[in-house]
Amino acid sequence: MKTKRVDVAIIGAGTAGLNARREAEKAGASWVLIESGPYGTTCARVGCMPSKLLIAAAEAAHNVAHAREFGVNVENWNVDGRAVMERVRSERDRFVGFVVDSTESIPEEKRLRGEARFVGPKSLQVGDHTRVEAKSVVIATGSRPWIPPQLDAIRDDVLVNDDVFEWEDLPESMAIFGTGIIGLEIGQALTRLGVQIEFFNPFDELGRFSDPKIVAKAHKVFGKQLTLHLKSDATGVEKVDGGYRIQWTDLNGEDHERVFQHVMSAAGRRPNVEALDLEKAGIPLDHRGLPISDPRTLQCGDTSIFVAGDVSGHRPILHEASDEGRIAGANAAQFPDVQATVRKTSLEIAFTEPQMAIVGERYIDLDPDEIAIGEVSYDNQGRARVMGANCGLVRLYGRKSNCRLIAAEMFGPRVEHTSHLLAWAIQEGLTVPELLEKPVYHPVFEEGIRTAIRNLAKELRVSGQCGPQDRGEGPGA
Amino acid sequence: MKTKRVDVAIIGAGTAGLNARREAEKAGASWVLIESGPYGTTCARVGCMPSKLLIAAAEAAHNVAHAREFGVNVENWNVDGRAVMERVRSERDRFVGFVVDSTESIPEEKRLRGEARFVGPKSLQVGDHTRVEAKSVVIATGSRPWIPPQLDAIRDDVLVNDDVFEWEDLPESMAIFGTGIIGLEIGQALTRLGVQIEFFNPFDELGRFSDPKIVAKAHKVFGKQLTLHLKSDATGVEKVDGGYRIQWTDLNGEDHERVFQHVMSAAGRRPNVEALDLEKAGIPLDHRGLPISDPRTLQCGDTSIFVAGDVSGHRPILHEASDEGRIAGANAAQFPDVQATVRKTSLEIAFTEPQMAIVGERYIDLDPDEIAIGEVSYDNQGRARVMGANCGLVRLYGRKSNCRLIAAEMFGPRVEHTSHLLAWAIQEGLTVPELLEKPVYHPVFEEGIRTAIRNLAKELRVSGQCGPQDRGEGPGA
């Protein structure tokens, strides 16, 4: 048993952990990075990158299927599942390779392999070989997919997104439990690639939308292109020849059953804390046993223990994990001089088609008395129509008291881009009249957003507390 | 001969003219709208909309041709020229229809048909039927394609963009004179649709780029996918059986000739002023006989005559024509109370692939001693690579004295979106450190822009006058 003394011990070599150690290094602190699994981040290995690669293939198939609309005739085409997965895996391996190389370039004495657990607030046991005594600790252990109890009977066979990206070919069929962002992204992509996908969810949420009008639109649009069994009880799940039989009762109380080649859980993710023996860390825990931390400092109570990334539960998204790693790493190195950071405007995007985005707070978390709402339909928006992508609804929320744009729920084409425009504007505190002074080219998807802003301006005028000027209605919306 | 007395006479019922009359109406002024051609704006009839429809078809063809890269096999495909042009024309007609309907809904007594010419500063003759006496005049007569003298021999047969959008089928081949935005957009789209396009230009500009590194990149990229005869003298142009023979001398002094089914001029546009008898208007004219006006008021000298839209020569782009119509219309109605307006941050986009954009001033108009430059290559940018669109270069210009982003030349995928983000930030006066605080999702094209901003931050630090903080390097670039 060796003992290692450092200023900062970082548990987890993912995005948050790697950023935390960079900050510790910058601050001149001594540090050690502890990892029990393979190197490579969740994002690169099983998250953002491989899912976007699968979606790119799905988009290629969709474009081929719809080329005739533009005057391009395709006589014969097919999806080569092996080729699809070959590109997904090889590009994924390339992205992962960069992270692994960069992690392995860290001097060996600063990397510890093995599972870490607290033996005291400033003391960690790593595997059975090393004791780490640290002035501060950053917990950056990430999260893993959760498998709901209704799949208990086949628990060991249930796939998660990690498994999908290891496929060498596409399957015939798959049942997906969950209609959150991960489920919809992967499930829609596979549907477009010809896999028979059916979704199951005892509830009826789609992605993270909360605005009733956007939720209704999403149900209508996805309901047409995907096989959704929402508010459906899966009454039986069992392994049979050739796959897994799912039995379910639909909304009308009718019973159904079908055999799927695979079953995947996309029912959410859970922070990785079980192995940590957190009760010995002396930090505040919530009722689920998860560390409670201040999102602006990532500090747990007034201890020298910090959390960062998915495990923190604040904002389980890559760019936020990246920020949290920096904040936690810097504060761990400077402890007890802990600095509060103003977090960025929240931005969530799902790369479905239409795309989904939530900017700032969700509608459901806003006080309806304090806001006015502006909206635009993309069902006939000029450029979207030109591109054959005219479908969607965007709703903007403005604060009556100061006429500022504060949040948006967005369901439509290319909202990955327009959501950035709005997130930056919201973070800058721009008012609706200020937004109307900004240039918008023609013909672009951004004109739809301007229409929504004009609509919001009108609603704010009606509310009587703001008097935004709109310099008129140009062509193109 | 009738005589009509109004507060504001507006010559031209395009985007600028229609917006001018809306402002006149709002201000309670009496007005008349004079148009000699068909109703419908340049944008809807022969500009932005039909070109984007042609480009959408080209993109569909390109997507089919490149589907295999993603694992989607297409065995047989072809471009149905008649179907392509049918969609272009029918959607174009739909967009034009809205403008025509809206124009025809204007009360008949406020619309005059016929060519207008000045008979005095406040007096217009329209056709041979009406004399208009106006307190103010807005000239919004637009522009038309210019045909260079080297095409004189076949002048009556030369096509312009207007003609292309009337085609019922695609031709076999066409020579395009000019490699500006219009030429490149249409020529690249037709190339992708299988038309044999060759470009001729005695100079070597591509679009409006002025930054030598961006210019070089554009030459390299377009040089591979398009047949460009730059710095080439067309020594002979004549009509022959089956088309038009072009003879030219290339850069090495070698002579070539080839017969093309059509010849198109895309060598720029000229303001429509010839019919106006401007010398009787009593306004300042430049050496080409064009009205000189203040871009912030659109006023010509201190007269009650205003210009708006393409004819003004300030910013011949739809959204700017729209703004100019509003500014000129409001000022004409309120004359002599003329208000100066701060114009929007300049934004030019070409919908080629890669796309081209110029935000703020062009590089060539900046003082090299006052700026630092940050750049990013899109040749290996994460998301662009995922989408198979990894090609391009973006250069950002920051002012050393105050660390503000002031301009950008952009050549890359989806810059129609990222250029909006930068244009809004520039208009808001954001500094480079402020830009680095804004959220950027992963994996998105916007991460490339953030890399360029980080690079600019570094260059500004080197310049010593700014000390922008960069909170670190997240994954994804």
Side-chain angles (χ1 to χ4, degrees), chain A residues 84-199:
Chain A
V84 166
M85 292 312 304
E86 164 65 27
R87 179 176 195 262
V88 169
R89 280 182 290 109
S90 75
E91 285 290 308
R92 186 268 322 262
D93 290 347
R94 187 176 158 276
F95 288 117
V96 172
F98 294 140
V99 186
V100 172
D101 288 352
S102 137
T103 310
E104 289 181 344
S105 74
I106 294 172
E108 217 169 322
E109 70 275 13
K110 299 199 164 187
R111 288 185 279 137
L112 279 182
R113 301 305 307 241
E115 224 161 51
R117 58 186 168 84
F118 283 88
V119 290
K122 290 164 185 283
S123 191
L124 296 168
Q125 176 67 38
V126 180
D128 57 2
H129 50 80
T130 312
R131 178 65 61 95
V132 175
E133 305 291 343
K135 290 188 193 154
S136 306
V137 177
V138 176
I139 303 170
T141 43
S143 64
R144 66 181 183 291
W146 180 70
I147 297 177
Q150 53 183 159
L151 296 178
D152 272 347
I154 57 166
R155 172 166 291 269
D156 292 344
D157 292 352
V158 171
L159 303 183
V160 294
N161 44 324
D162 311 36
D163 305 306
V164 166
F165 304 126
E166 287 301 329
W167 284 344
E168 300 214 333
D169 200 350
L170 293 172
E172 292 284 318
S173 64
M174 186 163 76
I176 296 180
F177 281 72
T179 50
I181 285 174
I182 293 174
L184 285 176
E185 280 191 352
I186 294 179
Q188 185 191 45
L190 291 173
T191 299
R192 289 180 160 196
L193 289 165
V195 183
Q196 291 173 49
I197 297 289
E198 302 195 16
F199 291 88

Side-chain angles (χ1 to χ4, degrees), chain A residues 333-384:
Chain A
Q334 291 153 15
F335 184 83
D337 176 21
V338 171
Q339 302 286 332
T341 301
V342 178
R343 298 294 294 266
K344 290 170 180 162
T345 293
S346 171
L347 173 59
E348 299 177 57
I349 300 173
F351 297 79
T352 48
E353 183 58 47
Q355 296 185 324
M356 308 190 273
I358 295 179
V359 189
E361 285 182 272
R362 294 165 81 206
Y363 168 80
I364 206 169
D365 297 322
L366 300 170
D367 181 338
D369 292 336
E370 289 185 356
I371 58 166
I373 304 177
E375 68 174 43
V376 66
S377 165
Y378 270 85
D379 291 353
N380 234 343
Q381 195 266 343
R383 178 71 183 290

Side-chain angles (χ1 to χ4, degrees), chain A residues 91 326 383 385 416 471, chain B residues 91 326 383 416 471:
Chain A
E91 285 290 308
R326 290 197 287 266
R383 178 71 183 290
R385 190 177 162 106
E416 67 174 283
R471 289 283 299 147
Chain B
E91 286 291 309
R326 290 198 286 267
R383 178 72 183 288
E416 67 175 286
R471 287 283 299 149

Side-chain angles (χ1 to χ4, degrees), chain A residues 416-430:
Chain A
E416 67 174 283
H417 303 296
T418 45
S419 64
H420 276 85
L421 203 56
L422 295 181
W424 289 28
I426 289 170
Q427 185 160 319
E428 204 49 38
L430 298 191

